[in-house]
């Protein structure tokens, strides 16, 4: 079929708009990467764009030698894995239960969950509660309070509602229990939404720093995002790096933020391409009604 002139113009305009969006989206990240590999003089002079100027990896070497950075990285991995696991278990159970129309009080529990999206006890009551539970300076202070995201739960609930009920009825006739049906039939069919929720929770937990800032006062427990925050605020400017010369210190001060940002975001960037297809299909399926 021959394309009309109007359609060709439409495609050209679409491509130009999308290229502009890609440029606007990628420029800040590429600029941070370029600054992380650039020299102090070029950064201070504002000469760094998308390509590193005065190529320098001294700050990378210095940060990677800092023991506290690796301790914080290990903490972040631990917190992310534990928090994401807890969140997935609780969100899946809650969403699956609310997806059943026969559940007594279904509307009440759904409205109660939505209510918490807009209203909470506040920062001070939450802090007092965590301290009274004895969770200060423990992993539970950062992995339990935000275990269920109501937004994520509603997406998963919508997905479960679109799975044909006949599958569960057939499993019930064959003698399957409720949990057996969930684990053997529903969850294997829900890989897209599960991957999507894992991505949502993992990214949120990986980037989280405020809970640790509130409840931790021991540097050995800090996640890498709090380590980054302290660097930005100058709280750990000394670094325990072993850099003794003035040149080393000025170079580190020039691009320490960019280097640490790149090292922090790198794991998420590496994981995302492997689950991107599940992410897209999970969002689409969870938003379509029968």
């Amino acid at each position: 079929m021959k394309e009309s002139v109007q359609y060709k113009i439409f495609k050209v305009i679409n491509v130009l708009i999308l290229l502009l969006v890609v440029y606007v989206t990628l420029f800040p990240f590429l600029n941070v990467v370029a600054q992380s590999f650039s020299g102090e003089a070029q950064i201070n002079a504002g000469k760094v764009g998308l390509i590193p100027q005065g190529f320098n990896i001294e700050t990378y070497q210095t940060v990677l030698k800092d023991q506290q950075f690796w301790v914080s990285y290990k903490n972040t991995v631990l917190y992310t894995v534990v928090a994401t696991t807890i969140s997935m278990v609780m969100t899946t159970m809650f969403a699956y239960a609310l997806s059943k129309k026969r559940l007594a009080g279904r509307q009440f529990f759904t409205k109660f969950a939505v209510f918490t999206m807009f209203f909470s006890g506040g920062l001070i009551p939450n802090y007092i509660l965590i301290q009274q539970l004895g969770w200060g300076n423990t992993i539970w202070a950062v992995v339990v309070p935000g275990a269920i995201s109501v937004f994520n739960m509603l997406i998963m609930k919508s997905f479960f509602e679109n799975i044909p009920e006949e599958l569960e009825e057939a499993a019930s006739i064959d003698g399957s229990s409720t949990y057996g049906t969930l684990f053997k039939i529903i969850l294997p069919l829900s890989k897209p939404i599960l991957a999507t929720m894992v991505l949502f929770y993992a990214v949120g937990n990986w980037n989280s720093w405020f809970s640790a800032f509130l409840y931790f006062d021991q540097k050995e427990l800090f996640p890498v995002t709090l380590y980054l925050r302290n660097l930005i605020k100058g709280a750990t400017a000394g670094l325990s790096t072993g850099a003794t010369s003035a040149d080393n210190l000025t170079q580190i001060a020039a691009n320490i933020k960019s280097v640490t940002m790149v090292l922090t975001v790198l794991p998420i960037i590496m994981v995302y391409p492997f689950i991107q297809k599940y992410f897209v299909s999970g969002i689409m399926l969870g938003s379509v009604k029968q």
Side-chain angles (χ1 to χ4, degrees):
M1 181 182 297
K2 186 177 180 180
E3 296 180 349
S4 65
V5 175
Q6 292 86 347
Y7 184 66
K8 291 180 179 178
I9 294 175
F10 172 76
K11 288 202 303 183
V12 171
I13 294 175
N14 261 357
V15 170
L16 292 176
I17 292 175
L18 290 175
L19 288 175
L20 177 62
V21 171
V22 169
Y23 174 78
V24 171
T25 304
L26 287 180
F27 180 82
F29 177 72
L30 295 178
N31 178 253
V32 167
V33 174
Q35 287 194 39
S36 71
F37 288 103
S38 297
E40 170 209 351
Q42 290 77 8
I43 294 173
N44 292 336
K47 296 180 179 179
V48 182
L50 298 178
I51 301 175
Q53 304 293 326
F55 187 81
N56 190 302
I57 61 171
E58 184 175 341
T59 307
Y60 274 106
Q61 294 173 334
T62 303
V63 172
L64 293 176
K65 290 178 182 177
D66 183 16
Q67 185 63 30
Q68 181 57 40
F69 175 79
W70 292 109
V71 170
S72 299
Y73 229 108
K74 180 192 71 174
N75 292 339
T76 296
V77 173
L78 175 63
Y79 299 157
T80 299
V81 171
V82 175
T84 302
T85 301
I86 293 175
S87 295
M88 287 302 299
V89 172
M90 297 183 68
T91 303
T92 301
M93 296 295 185
F94 196 12
Y96 181 66
L98 291 182
S99 69
K100 303 296 118 184
K101 296 180 181 180
R102 64 181 181 273
L103 175 68
R106 176 172 177 261
Q107 292 298 323
F108 168 78
F109 290 118
T110 302
K111 291 178 181 178
F112 183 81
V114 172
F115 178 84
T116 64
M117 295 179 66
F118 305 100
F119 302 96
S120 66
L123 182 60
I124 295 176
N126 283 334
Y127 180 83
I128 294 174
L129 175 63
I130 294 298
Q131 296 302 324
Q132 288 184 342
L133 290 173
W135 286 357
N137 286 321
T138 69
I139 186 176
W140 309 115
V142 297
V143 303
V144 173
I148 294 183
S149 164
V150 177
F151 176 77
N152 292 348
M153 185 274 293
L154 293 176
I155 294 178
M156 187 173 286
K157 169 180 170 289
S158 179
F159 183 94
F160 288 150
E161 288 175 343
N162 283 278
I163 295 177
E165 292 184 5
E166 290 77 9
L167 290 175
E168 297 186 57
E169 292 173 358
S172 178
I173 292 173
D174 289 338
S176 176
S177 65
T178 300
Y179 287 102
T181 302
L182 174 63
F183 290 113
K184 296 179 181 178
I185 297 177
I186 302 300
L187 294 186
L189 294 174
S190 305
K191 290 179 181 178
I193 196 65
L194 293 176
T196 302
M197 293 301 103
V198 167
L199 178 64
F200 280 0
Y201 279 121
V203 171
N205 290 314
W206 185 272
N207 292 330
S208 176
W209 65 272
F210 190 64
S211 294
F213 175 73
L214 283 179
Y215 305 125
F216 292 166
D217 55 26
Q218 298 177 12
K219 185 171 64 173
E220 295 75 17
L221 298 174
F222 287 176
V224 74
T225 44
L226 186 55
Y227 172 89
L228 168 61
R229 183 260 180 195
N230 288 339
L231 286 180
I232 293 175
K233 293 295 183 180
T236 57
L239 266 182
S240 307
T241 57
T244 55
S245 70
D247 291 340
N248 286 346
L249 292 176
T250 54
Q251 172 62 44
I252 292 170
N255 64 351
I256 184 63
K257 299 175 186 178
S258 302
V259 168
T260 315
M261 288 178 189
V262 171
L263 292 174
T264 302
V265 77
L266 190 60
I268 296 297
I269 293 179
M270 294 175 64
V271 169
Y272 181 78
F274 296 100
I275 59 177
Q276 189 266 346
K277 62 179 180 179
Y278 295 111
F279 173 77
V280 173
S281 59
I283 287 295
M284 294 300 295
L285 289 171
S287 61
V288 176
K289 289 286 186 180
Q290 274 186 329

